[in-house]
Amino acid sequence: MGNRHQAAVHRLVVSVDIRGSGRLDQQAKIGARRAMYEILETAFDAIGVPVAQVHLEDRGDGVLAALDPAVPPVTVVGVWLEEIHQGLRAHNRGRAEPLRLRIALHSGPVAHDGRGLVGRAVDLTCRLCDSEPARGVLDADASVGLVLVVSDVLYRTVVVEGGRFVEQESYASHPVRFKETDETAWFHVPRRSRPPLPEPATRAEAPVPSPTPAAAPPPASAPPASVGATPAGRSREEAPPGAPPPSKYTITVHGPNQIVDGAEVHGDITGVTHVGREGGTDE
């Protein structure tokens, strides 16, 4: 084969895909492809670009196209898209299996290596068309026959400027993360105020901490439950004003639950050890 490689030229790239073509039988596939090509041809004629002047590559269940740089992109997001929308409506009227399309648009340097289109603009356009949000729009509403996805740069430089049949106010942004792609894209369904996009993924919630283990019994030096007596054998009511706090006790427990001065102690009390202020003990 001869080398027909061309220098990269800035072009508008179009990727079109038929939804659910894998579920169609042979005759239905042929019918869907024929309808897609007829609708595309009519739409290109409507903007004064005969399909013979469009570089088209068949992709089985869709097409990849690159337009001449002289074609104004606004006519594609406006009149061309409107013709696609109307063509689908006419074709699908009364059909049990309607033709439904995903279409993506992006512009950038594109080359032809003798076998097909090549360039980052081609890669991004195809990934936008095949993205989960684009698929999700058609999955969310069976009455939607067409979803358009445009790159952020095309939205900011073309769509927001408006034009004939351009419904810039009804576009909605959504992140597209696929392979090496991490972009913000803009989605549009003709005649809808907003496309039925899935909710963007939210930041993962922090894991719920494990329940705190039950606290171990307090050490011997920790203040125990009150037992209602002072070290000198006086009751609490008899302790003189300003007296130092009571000495600490160590309580050894075994057996069934006991109640000591209103506090529940698990086990029999087998001994009470008094720890004096000087560190001595009394049984």
Side-chain angles (χ1 to χ4, degrees):
M1 294 183 180
N3 183 7
R4 293 183 293 165
H5 177 75
Q6 299 176 352
V9 177
H10 196 97
R11 296 178 184 273
L12 182 65
V13 184
V14 183
S15 180
V16 182
D17 191 88
I18 299 173
R19 181 192 183 275
S21 63
R23 299 193 299 269
L24 303 178
D25 60 27
Q26 186 73 1
Q27 290 304 312
K29 284 179 185 291
I30 293 173
R33 282 168 49 82
R34 182 185 299 117
M36 175 188 68
Y37 273 101
E38 289 175 353
I39 291 171
L40 289 174
E41 181 175 352
T42 300
F44 281 121
D45 284 342
I47 61 173
V49 181
V51 72
Q53 297 180 14
V54 179
H55 178 95
L56 278 178
E57 294 180 12
D58 189 274
R59 294 297 179 96
D61 58 353
V63 297
L64 178 66
L67 304 185
D68 188 276
V71 178
V74 68
T75 64
V76 179
V77 298
V79 177
W80 183 85
L81 184 67
E82 176 66 14
E83 289 292 333
I84 298 289
H85 171 62
Q86 295 298 339
L88 281 171
R89 288 185 63 203
H91 172 77
N92 290 335
R93 192 170 294 118
R95 291 181 180 269
E97 286 287 342
L99 177 64
R100 306 173 72 197
L101 300 178
R102 299 191 307 273
I103 299 178
L105 301 175
H106 177 49
S107 61
V110 178
H112 192 289
D113 66 356
R115 295 178 176 84
L117 300 174
V118 60
R120 293 183 183 275
V122 175
D123 297 341
L124 179 57
T125 307
C126 293
R127 288 171 184 172
L128 293 180
C129 186
D130 199 40
S131 67
E132 286 300 321
R135 293 175 178 272
V137 169
L138 297 186
D139 291 343
D141 190 340
S143 68
V144 173
L146 167 65
V147 58
L148 173 70
V149 192
V150 302
S151 64
D152 187 56
V153 64
L154 195 65
Y155 174 80
R156 289 184 286 106
T157 58
V158 177
V159 175
V160 296
E161 297 297 327
R164 189 173 181 222
F165 294 123
V166 178
E167 301 175 278
Q168 66 266 39
E169 69 283 351
S170 63
Y171 282 69
S173 64
H174 197 286
V176 172
R177 299 183 178 94
F178 180 60
K179 294 184 178 179
E180 300 87 3
T181 302
D182 189 353
E183 301 279 342
T184 295
W186 293 81
F187 296 77
H188 171 60
V189 174
R191 302 297 189 275
R192 296 289 184 97
S193 60
R194 180 178 174 83
L197 282 163
E199 290 296 326
T202 56
R203 185 177 301 174
E205 296 183 358
V208 178
S210 302
T212 305
S221 60
S226 171
V227 296
T230 65
R234 304 187 192 92
S235 68
R236 266 184 271 174
E237 290 75 8
E238 297 174 343
S247 301
K248 300 177 180 179
Y249 291 90
T250 298
I251 302 177
T252 305
V253 296
H254 297 285
N257 297 348
Q258 299 290 331
I259 302 298
V260 179
D261 195 22
E264 183 175 350
V265 179
H266 295 274
D268 289 330
I269 298 179
T270 60
V272 177
T273 303
H274 167 221
V275 182
R277 293 178 57 82
E278 300 301 325
T281 61
D282 297 322
E283 296 296 335

mmCIF file of all heavy atoms in Angstrom, residues 141-167:
data_model
loop_
_atom_site.group_PDB
_atom_site.id
_atom_site.type_symbol
_atom_site.label_atom_id
_atom_site.label_comp_id
_atom_site.label_asym_id
_atom_site.label_seq_id
_atom_site.Cartn_x
_atom_site.Cartn_y
_atom_site.Cartn_z
ATOM 1 N N ASP A 141 -34.333 6.876 30.009
ATOM 2 C CA ASP A 141 -35.628 7.282 29.450
ATOM 3 C C ASP A 141 -35.778 6.674 28.055
ATOM 4 O O ASP A 141 -35.086 7.078 27.110
ATOM 5 C CB ASP A 141 -35.713 8.803 29.382
ATOM 6 C CG ASP A 141 -37.112 9.301 29.035
ATOM 7 O OD1 ASP A 141 -37.904 8.514 28.480
ATOM 8 O OD2 ASP A 141 -37.403 10.484 29.316
ATOM 9 N N ALA A 142 -36.676 5.711 27.924
ATOM 10 C CA ALA A 142 -36.862 5.015 26.648
ATOM 11 C C ALA A 142 -37.434 5.924 25.571
ATOM 12 O O ALA A 142 -37.371 5.603 24.379
ATOM 13 C CB ALA A 142 -37.770 3.803 26.841
ATOM 14 N N SER A 143 -38.006 7.061 25.949
ATOM 15 C CA SER A 143 -38.568 7.973 24.955
ATOM 16 C C SER A 143 -37.517 8.871 24.320
ATOM 17 O O SER A 143 -37.801 9.585 23.358
ATOM 18 C CB SER A 143 -39.659 8.835 25.586
ATOM 19 O OG SER A 143 -39.110 9.734 26.535
ATOM 20 N N VAL A 144 -36.295 8.858 24.850
ATOM 21 C CA VAL A 144 -35.212 9.665 24.283
ATOM 22 C C VAL A 144 -34.595 8.898 23.114
ATOM 23 O O VAL A 144 -34.081 7.790 23.289
ATOM 24 C CB VAL A 144 -34.135 9.983 25.344
ATOM 25 C CG1 VAL A 144 -32.943 10.682 24.702
ATOM 26 C CG2 VAL A 144 -34.721 10.850 26.448
ATOM 27 N N GLY A 145 -34.638 9.492 21.934
ATOM 28 C CA GLY A 145 -34.085 8.818 20.761
ATOM 29 C C GLY A 145 -32.698 9.273 20.391
ATOM 30 O O GLY A 145 -32.019 8.632 19.578
ATOM 31 N N LEU A 146 -32.227 10.369 21.003
ATOM 32 C CA LEU A 146 -30.949 10.952 20.607
ATOM 33 C C LEU A 146 -30.328 11.687 21.779
ATOM 34 O O LEU A 146 -30.998 12.485 22.448
ATOM 35 C CB LEU A 146 -31.169 11.933 19.440
ATOM 36 C CG LEU A 146 -30.032 12.876 19.069
ATOM 37 C CD1 LEU A 146 -28.838 12.094 18.542
ATOM 38 C CD2 LEU A 146 -30.511 13.900 18.035
ATOM 39 N N VAL A 147 -29.052 11.432 22.033
ATOM 40 C CA VAL A 147 -28.293 12.219 23.001
ATOM 41 C C VAL A 147 -27.033 12.719 22.307
ATOM 42 O O VAL A 147 -26.353 11.970 21.605
ATOM 43 C CB VAL A 147 -27.940 11.411 24.272
ATOM 44 C CG1 VAL A 147 -27.146 10.154 23.949
ATOM 45 C CG2 VAL A 147 -27.163 12.286 25.258
ATOM 46 N N LEU A 148 -26.764 13.994 22.475
ATOM 47 C CA LEU A 148 -25.564 14.613 21.916
ATOM 48 C C LEU A 148 -24.586 14.901 23.052
ATOM 49 O O LEU A 148 -24.977 15.406 24.107
ATOM 50 C CB LEU A 148 -25.917 15.916 21.204
ATOM 51 C CG LEU A 148 -24.722 16.749 20.715
ATOM 52 C CD1 LEU A 148 -24.031 16.061 19.545
ATOM 53 C CD2 LEU A 148 -25.156 18.164 20.336
ATOM 54 N N VAL A 149 -23.308 14.588 22.818
ATOM 55 C CA VAL A 149 -22.241 14.902 23.767
ATOM 56 C C VAL A 149 -21.225 15.775 23.048
ATOM 57 O O VAL A 149 -20.764 15.417 21.956
ATOM 58 C CB VAL A 149 -21.529 13.632 24.278
ATOM 59 C CG1 VAL A 149 -20.647 13.969 25.477
ATOM 60 C CG2 VAL A 149 -22.519 12.544 24.619
ATOM 61 N N VAL A 150 -20.888 16.909 23.625
ATOM 62 C CA VAL A 150 -19.855 17.760 23.040
ATOM 63 C C VAL A 150 -18.753 17.966 24.075
ATOM 64 O O VAL A 150 -18.997 17.975 25.278
ATOM 65 C CB VAL A 150 -20.410 19.124 22.568
ATOM 66 C CG1 VAL A 150 -21.516 18.934 21.543
ATOM 67 C CG2 VAL A 150 -20.913 19.954 23.743
ATOM 68 N N SER A 151 -17.550 18.145 23.596
ATOM 69 C CA SER A 151 -16.417 18.396 24.487
ATOM 70 C C SER A 151 -16.564 19.767 25.129
ATOM 71 O O SER A 151 -17.306 20.639 24.648
ATOM 72 C CB SER A 151 -15.115 18.318 23.707
ATOM 73 O OG SER A 151 -15.063 19.342 22.721
ATOM 74 N N ASP A 152 -15.835 19.962 26.210
ATOM 75 C CA ASP A 152 -15.908 21.238 26.922
ATOM 76 C C ASP A 152 -15.447 22.390 26.039
ATOM 77 O O ASP A 152 -16.050 23.469 26.033
ATOM 78 C CB ASP A 152 -15.058 21.154 28.190
ATOM 79 C CG ASP A 152 -15.214 22.386 29.068
ATOM 80 O OD1 ASP A 152 -16.353 22.706 29.440
ATOM 81 O OD2 ASP A 152 -14.192 23.045 29.368
ATOM 82 N N VAL A 153 -14.379 22.186 25.270
ATOM 83 C CA VAL A 153 -13.871 23.264 24.419
ATOM 84 C C VAL A 153 -14.875 23.615 23.330
ATOM 85 O O VAL A 153 -15.069 24.803 23.006
ATOM 86 C CB VAL A 153 -12.499 22.889 23.818
ATOM 87 C CG1 VAL A 153 -12.612 21.678 22.880
ATOM 88 C CG2 VAL A 153 -11.884 24.069 23.088
ATOM 89 N N LEU A 154 -15.555 22.618 22.779
ATOM 90 C CA LEU A 154 -16.553 22.900 21.744
ATOM 91 C C LEU A 154 -17.768 23.608 22.347
ATOM 92 O O LEU A 154 -18.352 24.509 21.731
ATOM 93 C CB LEU A 154 -16.980 21.603 21.065
ATOM 94 C CG LEU A 154 -17.741 21.758 19.747
ATOM 95 C CD1 LEU A 154 -16.845 22.373 18.680
ATOM 96 C CD2 LEU A 154 -18.268 20.421 19.258
ATOM 97 N N TYR A 155 -18.125 23.223 23.562
ATOM 98 C CA TYR A 155 -19.253 23.889 24.226
ATOM 99 C C TYR A 155 -18.929 25.358 24.471
ATOM 100 O O TYR A 155 -19.740 26.248 24.179
ATOM 101 C CB TYR A 155 -19.571 23.196 25.548
ATOM 102 C CG TYR A 155 -20.619 23.904 26.365
ATOM 103 C CD1 TYR A 155 -21.971 23.769 26.078
ATOM 104 C CD2 TYR A 155 -20.245 24.741 27.422
ATOM 105 C CE1 TYR A 155 -22.938 24.440 26.807
ATOM 106 C CE2 TYR A 155 -21.207 25.410 28.170
ATOM 107 C CZ TYR A 155 -22.545 25.258 27.859
ATOM 108 O OH TYR A 155 -23.489 25.927 28.592
ATOM 109 N N ARG A 156 -17.737 25.638 24.988
ATOM 110 C CA ARG A 156 -17.376 27.006 25.367
ATOM 111 C C ARG A 156 -17.132 27.916 24.162
ATOM 112 O O ARG A 156 -17.340 29.127 24.239
ATOM 113 C CB ARG A 156 -16.144 26.997 26.269
ATOM 114 C CG ARG A 156 -16.419 26.443 27.667
ATOM 115 C CD ARG A 156 -15.212 26.538 28.586
ATOM 116 N NE ARG A 156 -14.192 25.562 28.256
ATOM 117 C CZ ARG A 156 -13.050 25.843 27.647
ATOM 118 N NH1 ARG A 156 -12.792 27.086 27.280
ATOM 119 N NH2 ARG A 156 -12.165 24.905 27.389
ATOM 120 N N THR A 157 -16.670 27.330 23.040
ATOM 121 C CA THR A 157 -16.341 28.161 21.879
ATOM 122 C C THR A 157 -17.441 28.211 20.825
ATOM 123 O O THR A 157 -17.444 29.113 19.991
ATOM 124 C CB THR A 157 -15.044 27.649 21.208
ATOM 125 O OG1 THR A 157 -15.225 26.281 20.812
ATOM 126 C CG2 THR A 157 -13.867 27.743 22.166
ATOM 127 N N VAL A 158 -18.378 27.258 20.860
ATOM 128 C CA VAL A 158 -19.407 27.202 19.816
ATOM 129 C C VAL A 158 -20.817 27.241 20.411
ATOM 130 O O VAL A 158 -21.618 28.130 20.095
ATOM 131 C CB VAL A 158 -19.237 25.944 18.933
ATOM 132 C CG1 VAL A 158 -20.370 25.865 17.907
ATOM 133 C CG2 VAL A 158 -17.877 25.965 18.230
ATOM 134 N N VAL A 159 -21.120 26.288 21.294
ATOM 135 C CA VAL A 159 -22.498 26.133 21.769
ATOM 136 C C VAL A 159 -22.971 27.373 22.511
ATOM 137 O O VAL A 159 -24.087 27.863 22.273
ATOM 138 C CB VAL A 159 -22.630 24.871 22.653
ATOM 139 C CG1 VAL A 159 -24.031 24.782 23.251
ATOM 140 C CG2 VAL A 159 -22.317 23.620 21.843
ATOM 141 N N VAL A 160 -22.154 27.896 23.420
ATOM 142 C CA VAL A 160 -22.615 29.032 24.236
ATOM 143 C C VAL A 160 -22.876 30.282 23.404
ATOM 144 O O VAL A 160 -23.602 31.180 23.841
ATOM 145 C CB VAL A 160 -21.608 29.349 25.363
ATOM 146 C CG1 VAL A 160 -21.509 28.206 26.333
ATOM 147 C CG2 VAL A 160 -20.244 29.710 24.791
ATOM 148 N N GLU A 161 -22.309 30.344 22.209
ATOM 149 C CA GLU A 161 -22.541 31.501 21.348
ATOM 150 C C GLU A 161 -23.922 31.461 20.712
ATOM 151 O O GLU A 161 -24.423 32.477 20.221
ATOM 152 C CB GLU A 161 -21.466 31.575 20.258
ATOM 153 C CG GLU A 161 -20.062 31.781 20.789
ATOM 154 C CD GLU A 161 -19.915 33.106 21.518
ATOM 155 O OE1 GLU A 161 -20.587 34.089 21.130
ATOM 156 O OE2 GLU A 161 -19.132 33.159 22.484
ATOM 157 N N GLY A 162 -24.541 30.280 20.686
ATOM 158 C CA GLY A 162 -25.882 30.154 20.143
ATOM 159 C C GLY A 162 -25.901 30.171 18.622
ATOM 160 O O GLY A 162 -24.873 30.262 17.951
ATOM 161 N N GLY A 163 -27.091 30.046 18.077
ATOM 162 C CA GLY A 163 -27.272 30.004 16.634
ATOM 163 C C GLY A 163 -28.602 29.336 16.318
ATOM 164 O O GLY A 163 -29.356 28.961 17.226
ATOM 165 N N ARG A 164 -28.883 29.174 15.049
ATOM 166 C CA ARG A 164 -30.154 28.599 14.645
ATOM 167 C C ARG A 164 -30.277 27.164 15.138
ATOM 168 O O ARG A 164 -29.411 26.332 14.889
ATOM 169 C CB ARG A 164 -30.275 28.637 13.119
ATOM 170 C CG ARG A 164 -31.663 28.258 12.626
ATOM 171 C CD ARG A 164 -31.785 28.484 11.141
ATOM 172 N NE ARG A 164 -33.128 28.150 10.681
ATOM 173 C CZ ARG A 164 -33.384 27.482 9.568
ATOM 174 N NH1 ARG A 164 -32.390 27.093 8.794
ATOM 175 N NH2 ARG A 164 -34.620 27.239 9.206
ATOM 176 N N PHE A 165 -31.344 26.889 15.873
ATOM 177 C CA PHE A 165 -31.658 25.586 16.466
ATOM 178 C C PHE A 165 -30.667 25.168 17.564
ATOM 179 O O PHE A 165 -30.693 24.013 17.995
ATOM 180 C CB PHE A 165 -31.731 24.482 15.399
ATOM 181 C CG PHE A 165 -32.858 24.653 14.427
ATOM 182 C CD1 PHE A 165 -32.599 24.733 13.068
ATOM 183 C CD2 PHE A 165 -34.170 24.755 14.854
ATOM 184 C CE1 PHE A 165 -33.633 24.896 12.152
ATOM 185 C CE2 PHE A 165 -35.212 24.911 13.952
ATOM 186 C CZ PHE A 165 -34.940 24.989 12.589
ATOM 187 N N VAL A 166 -29.820 26.068 18.005
ATOM 188 C CA VAL A 166 -28.890 25.734 19.090
ATOM 189 C C VAL A 166 -29.586 26.014 20.419
ATOM 190 O O VAL A 166 -29.934 27.160 20.707
ATOM 191 C CB VAL A 166 -27.578 26.543 18.991
ATOM 192 C CG1 VAL A 166 -26.654 26.196 20.161
ATOM 193 C CG2 VAL A 166 -26.884 26.275 17.666
ATOM 194 N N GLU A 167 -29.788 24.985 21.216
ATOM 195 C CA GLU A 167 -30.474 25.124 22.514
ATOM 196 C C GLU A 167 -29.435 25.115 23.638
ATOM 197 O O GLU A 167 -29.384 24.209 24.461
ATOM 198 C CB GLU A 167 -31.465 23.976 22.693
ATOM 199 C CG GLU A 167 -32.537 23.893 21.607
ATOM 200 C CD GLU A 167 -33.406 22.668 21.776
ATOM 201 O OE1 GLU A 167 -32.978 21.574 21.341
ATOM 202 O OE2 GLU A 167 -34.514 22.796 22.330
#
